[in-house]
Amino acid sequence: MSEREAGRQPEADTDAIDELRAQWRRERPDMGLAGLDAMALVGRIKRADHLLSRGMKPVFAAHGLEFAEFDVLATLRRVGAPHELTAGGLLKSAMVTSGAITNRLDKLERKGLIERRPDPADRRAIRVRLTEEGLALVDRAVVDHVANEERMLAGLTAEERRALDGALRRLLMSLGDTHLG
C-alpha cells in the first residue's frame, strides 16, 4: 500500500516514478538497480514532457492556436525575414509526416496566418510564408509561451536548469539528434 493509499502524505523527495520503480523492484527483484534507474529516468523524461505539454495548451489556446500550429508559426518566425520556407523545409523541422504538415498548413492558411505559393526556382515545390497577421500573432504568443515555460520551470534553481539542460543536450547528441531535419 502506498503512502497515498494509506492516507499519509508521501515524502517530499518522492514522485510517481519512485512508486513505479518500487513496484517493479517488489515484483521483479531480479532486475538490476541500473536497469530500474534507467527505466525511472526515461519515465521521468516522458512524464515531464507530458506535463509540460499539458501546461502549454492553455497559453496556445488563449491565442487561438494548438501546439502544432504554434510550432509551424515559430519555425517560420525564427528563420528570419522573409519568414518563409519550403514545405519540405518545414517538414524536416517539424519531424512529422507530410500528411500532418499539410493538415497544419491547411488550418493555418484558413486562419490567414500563412500563405502558400509556388517556388519560383522549382515549380514542384511550395513556399510557405507568414502573413502579417501570422507574424504579429506568433510574436505575441511567443512572449506568453516563454513566460509560461519559465513559470513551469520555477521549481528548479538556475544551477539545476543549467545542469539538466547540459545533461539532456548530451543525451540528445548521443541519440544522434545534432541537427534540425
Side-chain angles (χ1 to χ4, degrees):
M1 180 180 298
S2 75
E3 290 178 322
R4 236 182 243 118
E5 291 169 333
R8 295 187 306 267
Q9 288 293 331
E11 290 182 35
D13 290 341
T14 63
D15 66 4
I17 299 298
D18 289 324
E19 290 181 37
L20 296 175
R21 182 180 10 205
Q23 291 169 348
W24 276 113
R25 192 152 185 208
R26 181 190 70 235
E27 294 300 316
R28 290 291 309 271
D30 58 306
M31 292 179 64
L33 290 178
L36 292 175
D37 287 347
M39 182 188 289
L41 180 56
V42 170
R44 281 191 175 95
I45 292 168
K46 291 175 67 86
R47 196 165 176 92
D49 174 57
H50 171 75
L51 293 169
L52 291 167
S53 294
R54 190 171 71 188
M56 290 180 206
K57 283 182 181 182
V59 171
F60 297 135
H63 292 278
L65 296 170
E66 296 172 5
F67 175 79
E69 296 169 320
F70 173 80
D71 186 44
V72 169
L73 297 177
T75 299
L76 292 169
R77 176 62 173 103
R78 73 174 183 258
V79 298
H83 310 294
E84 178 179 276
L85 285 171
T86 63
L90 275 170
L91 183 63
K92 286 180 184 177
S93 177
M95 295 184 291
V96 295
T97 65
S98 59
I101 200 73
T102 298
N103 185 40
R104 291 177 188 184
L105 296 178
D106 288 346
K107 289 168 96 174
L108 290 167
E109 191 172 38
R110 281 193 300 272
K111 291 179 177 184
L113 302 174
I114 61 148
E115 58 187 15
R116 291 187 267 198
R117 60 182 181 79
D119 186 332
D122 181 356
R123 293 188 331 194
R124 297 168 298 164
I126 299 293
R127 297 201 66 81
V128 180
R129 179 185 289 201
L130 284 176
T131 62
E132 286 185 31
E133 183 182 348
L135 179 62
L137 177 62
V138 73
D139 278 347
R140 287 189 310 271
V142 76
V143 170
D144 292 343
H145 173 57
V146 169
N148 187 44
E149 287 179 324
E150 288 175 342
R151 179 194 60 76
M152 289 189 294
L153 294 174
L156 300 175
T157 66
E159 183 179 325
E160 288 169 332
R161 288 185 197 188
R162 281 190 298 276
L164 182 57
D165 184 58
L168 290 173
R169 179 185 301 110
R170 289 187 301 279
L171 174 62
L172 290 170
M173 290 172 64
S174 76
L175 294 172
D177 190 25
T178 57
H179 299 284
L180 291 177

